[in-house]
Amino acid sequence: MQMVVTKVSRVYYMVVRVYKGQLFTTTFNTIMKKIIFFLFVMSLFSASMAQLRLPALFSDSMVLQQRSAAPVWGWASPQEKIEVAGSWSSKKVSATADANGKWMVKLSTPAAGGPYEVVIRGRETKTLKGVLIGEVWICSGQSNMEMPVEGWANDPIQNAASEIAQANFPSIRFFTVQKQIAYEPLEDVVGSWSSCNPVSVRSFSATAYFFARELYRKLKVPIALIHTSWGGTVAEAWASKQALKTMGDFNQALQTIDSVNANLAAIKTKDSIGSLSWQKALADLRQTNVVTEDEGEWKPMQVPTFWEDAGLPNLDAVVWFKKTVDIPQNWVGKDLKLDLGPIDDRDITFVNGKLVDSTTGNFSWGKERHYTIPAALVKAGANTITVCVIDDGGNGGLYGSKEKLKIYPAERMADAIGLDGTWLYKIAAVKPQQTLNNWPNQPSVLYNGMIAPLIPFAIRGAIWYQGESNVGRAKQYTQLFPLMINDWRQRWNDKFPFYFVQIAPFNYGGEATLSAALRDAQRRTLTSSPQTGMAVTLDIGNPKNIHPANKQEVGRRLALWALHQTYQVKDVVPSGPLYLRMEIKNNQLIISFDHTEGGLNSKSAPLEGFELKGKDGEWKPATAVIEGNRIILSNKTISQPEAARYAYYNTSVGTLFNGAGLPAATFTTEPL
């Protein structure tokens, strides 16, 4: 309010200067003086009545970290004195609000227990009720962390109904951060605390809940989960601008963010116009007759490929592709199968100008297209296949391996005609580049909106399930992921434990080892970042579903790391075998492992998934023999092995375990 008074006063004196020497009525002077006096009085009144405000984290039913100097903060009038006390102690702590009204105290907490009350007193008083003291964990990542206990449509959680019915744990508390991006760090989030029950658990993170349940059963103390995740997001969105600048990889995007933040009003107007034009282009797709369009506008492209690799960089657009194929006379009158492999992002497919099928749902970019062409559309000789590809962001195009593109009679795949090679393409509409949007995959925006406001709330540690959206950038991830972990720790000023999930097998399409390389990048974080642990999921994934249903075991395996490493619970095995070192002896390569408790085994199944590389640079399957806590690898055609790898394909399934039944992690002995 004082600022308002100052500005009005400046306006008044500017008016006086402008009209100096001219007729300036007494009435105007009088009115202006009265306005200034009124605003001054109101500022005094407002200061005396300023509300005590707390972040969303500080509310009834919250949980504070046990045996900690827990930061408690909020806002009041500048220079207002604030006192905070917990009902577990008669001791009060106090602070004075700064010039912006911000204040913070450190409140000493006892051993786990409760419920208690926390009283915060300034010119007014707030009392937080039902407060527990226990163990607080941040839970973050992308869709596999976000996925709720009730699951999603066509994406179930294993035994969801019974899990929900049995979820009565009043001492487990949930706080879900509402999704929001921000171009600079925010001070608060939207969310509220709730106790775990069959109603609240339905929409809460399944991985986080099963992690907490395992901890609660073993520790018998209150467990708090602060869930802050967003499906489909990249790791760089969760790191701060300052940390990302030390890498250099994201500087251009960060500069754009800074520029946007400085010109918000103008950019919002421009972006709204661009958004309307893109929506119109999508709506017009329903009225487009591609077969009769001018042939002269079409250009050749070798398919399969991302069009970014074919001379169309940074293009988000609607692009039409077509190819003419000669159909034999004996195929006429039969349904044909049309395989197009994966298409990024969405597609609408036609044959001879008639709609055949489309794939337009979530995660469409990773799905292979298998369509049926009705017999009525098939004719002898030239038939035109036309594919409308809609790319909303990132790469675009028909990008699978060439073997995946073919057409054949439904009952005779052996007669297939390959569709790889030259296609014609036409750009129908270019998506205007939005400068300001709600797209979460921008460097730092989720840190700003969903992590920064939580700092420095006292926590025990963090769990993380992410990596799918960074597939294809494994080498970068070896630096980015540890950087993000260290960034969080520095900003919390606490070297808290950080436990994460190695992404599960899934058929991403494209290069067969892309996600395996990302899994290995995650594994390498165990040595580059202290106080970390990795839950391996090679044996509980689903190559056809990026969201494995068995989140119970994912949560349990994360909890094993916490119980073993953070809480020092005896006789807990935290991990399956982890690659330690290799040794070459003659024509054999010997792999030693850490975490071999109970010995290495293959659960009575064949020990598969190991490969060797010789001097010719080719990877070949290896015969693997268990010898104590080591694996002896050999291949009759490789006399001098140089490197080894295990489970190194997108859809690899784990076959090596330790005596605790936990799977070995994907690894390669080569540098990424």
Side-chain angles (χ1 to χ4, degrees):
M1 181 61 74
Q2 184 60 47
M3 186 180 297
V4 173
V5 174
T6 302
K7 288 184 177 180
V8 172
S9 298
R10 288 175 180 170
V11 171
Y12 168 70
Y13 288 111
M14 285 175 63
V15 170
V16 170
R17 285 198 299 271
V18 169
Y19 285 93
K20 188 175 181 181
Q22 298 183 19
L23 182 63
F24 200 60
T25 67
T26 303
T27 302
F28 182 80
N29 274 279
T30 302
I31 292 173
M32 289 298 295
K33 288 177 180 179
K34 286 183 178 180
I35 290 173
I36 293 171
F37 178 75
F38 173 75
L39 291 174
F40 175 72
V41 172
M42 287 299 295
S43 70
L44 296 177
F45 179 76
S46 176
S48 66
M49 295 298 290
Q51 286 190 337
L52 178 64
R53 185 166 63 88
L54 302 175
L57 280 169
F58 296 98
S59 61
D60 293 347
S61 301
M62 71 179 297
V63 181
L64 292 174
Q65 177 60 43
Q66 67 170 325
R67 295 190 175 99
S68 71
V72 179
W73 70 91
W75 300 269
S77 298
Q79 306 307 314
E80 183 176 348
K81 183 179 179 181
I82 304 295
E83 288 186 344
V84 181
S87 62
W88 57 84
S89 171
S90 59
K91 184 178 179 180
K92 299 177 181 178
V93 288
S94 62
T96 301
D98 64 18
N100 296 315
K102 182 77 175 285
W103 56 267
M104 180 182 293
V105 301
K106 297 290 184 69
L107 184 64
S108 295
T109 60
Y116 297 107
E117 290 185 352
V118 174
V119 178
I120 303 166
R121 181 175 287 109
R123 291 194 179 99
E124 64 175 303
T125 299
K126 288 186 179 294
T127 301
L128 310 182
K129 299 180 179 181
V131 176
L132 298 182
I133 308 295
E135 294 294 291
V136 183
W137 288 83
I138 296 286
C139 315
S140 189
Q142 57 180 108
S143 57
N144 270 305
M145 180 61 81
E146 182 183 348
M147 191 176 188
V149 177
E150 66 181 350
W152 290 316
N154 302 316
D155 251 347
I157 292 292
Q158 180 175 284
N159 302 322
S162 61
E163 294 287 12
I164 290 169
Q166 298 171 37
N168 285 295
F169 297 97
S171 291
I172 296 178
R173 300 284 172 88
F174 302 146
F175 185 100
T176 295
V177 174
Q178 181 174 294
K179 295 175 182 177
Q180 60 181 342
I181 72 164
Y183 291 118
E184 59 184 359
L186 302 182
E187 288 192 317
D188 202 1
V189 296
V190 176
S192 60
W193 288 97
S194 62
S195 296
C196 175
N197 57 56
V199 175
S200 64
V201 81
R202 296 181 68 91
S203 59
F204 196 76
S205 163
T207 294
Y209 165 64
F210 294 125
F211 167 79
R213 186 177 69 179
E214 189 71 14
L215 292 188
Y216 179 75
R217 286 172 172 173
K218 294 292 193 299
L219 303 177
K220 305 299 183 185
V221 300
I223 305 294
L225 303 173
I226 302 173
H227 171 223
T228 177
S229 66
W230 193 323
T233 54
V234 291
E236 60 266 28
W238 296 96
S240 73
K241 175 176 70 174
Q242 291 77 9
L244 292 172
K245 281 186 174 180
T246 66
M247 281 187 68
D249 294 25
F250 307 102
N251 284 359
Q252 184 175 350
L254 291 170
Q255 289 171 5
T256 298
I257 288 170
D258 286 343
S259 176
V260 167
N261 199 37
N263 300 279
L264 280 177
I267 288 170
K268 284 182 179 179
T269 300
K270 174 180 173 293
D271 283 353
S272 63
I273 295 172
S275 179
L276 288 173
S277 69
W278 178 243
Q279 294 305 317
K280 182 179 183 302
L282 297 181
D284 288 346
L285 288 177
R286 295 189 295 268
Q287 304 173 16
T288 302
N289 185 346
V290 298
V291 177
T292 60
E293 290 187 4
D294 181 7
E295 291 290 331
E297 297 180 14
W298 297 78
K299 298 178 181 180
M301 182 183 295
Q302 295 302 305
V303 172
T305 186
F306 287 120
W307 60 56
E308 284 80 1
D309 297 330
L312 300 175
N314 303 316
L315 177 67
D316 302 329
V318 175
V319 180
W320 291 92
F321 287 84
K322 67 179 178 178
K323 185 178 183 67
T324 299
V325 57
D326 284 330
I327 298 297
Q329 179 66 47
N330 61 354
W331 287 17
V332 176
K334 299 177 181 179
D335 288 349
L336 302 184
K337 294 295 184 181
L338 176 63
D339 292 352
L340 297 172
I343 298 176
D344 193 347
D345 291 309
R346 298 174 283 150
D347 78 283
I348 306 171
T349 297
F350 305 80
V351 172
N352 295 327
K354 302 296 183 182
L355 176 66
V356 168
D357 210 335
S358 64
T359 302
T360 58
N362 293 332
F363 301 102
S364 294
W365 56 268
K367 295 180 179 178
E368 293 186 4
R369 273 55 167 183
H370 300 285
Y371 297 149
T372 298
I373 304 173
L377 298 184
V378 180
K379 62 182 181 180
N383 287 252
T384 300
I385 301 167
T386 310
V387 182
C388 174
V389 179
I390 306 160
D391 177 48
D392 294 293
N395 290 332
L398 293 84
Y399 69 94
S401 62
K402 64 181 183 180
E403 294 80 10
K404 296 182 182 296
L405 281 84
K406 54 185 179 291
I407 186 172
Y408 52 93
E411 73 281 2
R412 289 283 297 174
M413 183 183 292
D415 295 339
I417 297 173
L419 298 177
D420 60 298
T422 303
W423 286 58
L424 296 177
Y425 78 91
K426 175 193 291 189
I427 300 174
V430 176
K431 182 179 181 181
Q433 293 295 316
Q434 294 279 299
T435 310
L436 177 69
N437 52 58
N438 291 321
W439 180 242
N441 284 340
Q442 304 174 72
S444 79
V445 297
L446 297 184
Y447 168 82
N448 291 337
M450 298 176 68
I451 296 296
L454 309 177
I455 301 171
F457 195 83
I459 62 173
R460 175 62 69 196
I463 59 173
W464 174 262
Y465 196 161
Q466 189 274 342
E468 296 90 345
S469 289
N470 285 85
V471 164
R473 294 189 282 143
K475 186 175 182 179
Q476 183 188 65
Y477 204 80
T478 61
Q479 182 181 359
L480 173 61
F481 187 34
L483 178 90
M484 190 206 79
I485 295 171
N486 187 56
D487 183 31
W488 288 18
R489 287 170 169 170
Q490 285 185 343
R491 294 182 181 283
W492 253 282
N493 194 27
D494 181 4
K495 296 180 179 179
F496 55 78
F498 193 104
Y499 303 128
F500 57 92
V501 182
Q502 188 183 54
I503 61 174
F506 176 68
N507 183 8
Y508 287 85
E511 188 177 332
T513 62
L514 285 179
S515 66
L518 196 285
R519 293 199 298 269
D520 193 52
Q522 292 177 308
R523 178 191 64 83
R524 292 167 191 259
T525 302
L526 296 172
T527 55
S528 61
S529 294
Q531 290 293 304
T532 54
M534 182 176 74
V536 179
T537 58
L538 278 177
D539 60 327
I540 55 175
N542 182 348
K544 296 181 180 180
N545 190 334
I546 202 169
H547 303 122
N550 188 358
K551 291 295 189 286
Q552 292 90 334
E553 186 63 10
V554 177
R556 188 186 78 88
R557 291 178 185 181
L558 286 168
L560 292 177
W561 275 104
L563 292 168
H564 170 81
Q565 192 161 274
T566 302
Y567 298 111
Q568 304 292 305
V569 176
K570 293 181 179 180
D571 302 322
V572 172
V573 178
S575 174
L578 293 171
Y579 169 71
L580 191 59
R581 60 181 173 270
M582 76 170 190
E583 178 184 1
I584 299 173
K585 283 190 176 181
N586 300 320
N587 65 338
Q588 295 181 328
L589 193 149
I590 303 168
I591 302 292
S592 297
F593 294 89
D594 197 4
H595 295 292
T596 59
E597 290 89 341
L600 300 176
N601 67 81
S602 61
K603 289 190 173 181
S604 301
L607 187 56
E608 299 174 340
F610 286 92
E611 294 178 293
L612 286 174
K613 187 170 80 169
K615 289 189 175 300
D616 62 1
E618 293 186 13
W619 288 101
K620 298 177 182 179
T623 298
V625 178
I626 297 173
E627 188 179 276
N629 292 327
R630 305 185 303 171
I631 298 289
I632 313 299
L633 301 177
S634 62
N635 181 294
K636 292 180 180 180
T637 67
I638 300 178
S639 59
Q640 293 180 292
E642 295 185 345
R645 66 187 188 185
Y646 166 70
Y648 214 77
Y649 293 94
N650 294 337
T651 58
S652 293
V653 176
T655 63
L656 178 64
F657 298 81
N658 63 11
L662 296 171
T666 289
F667 72 88
T668 178
T669 63
E670 288 192 312
L672 289 177

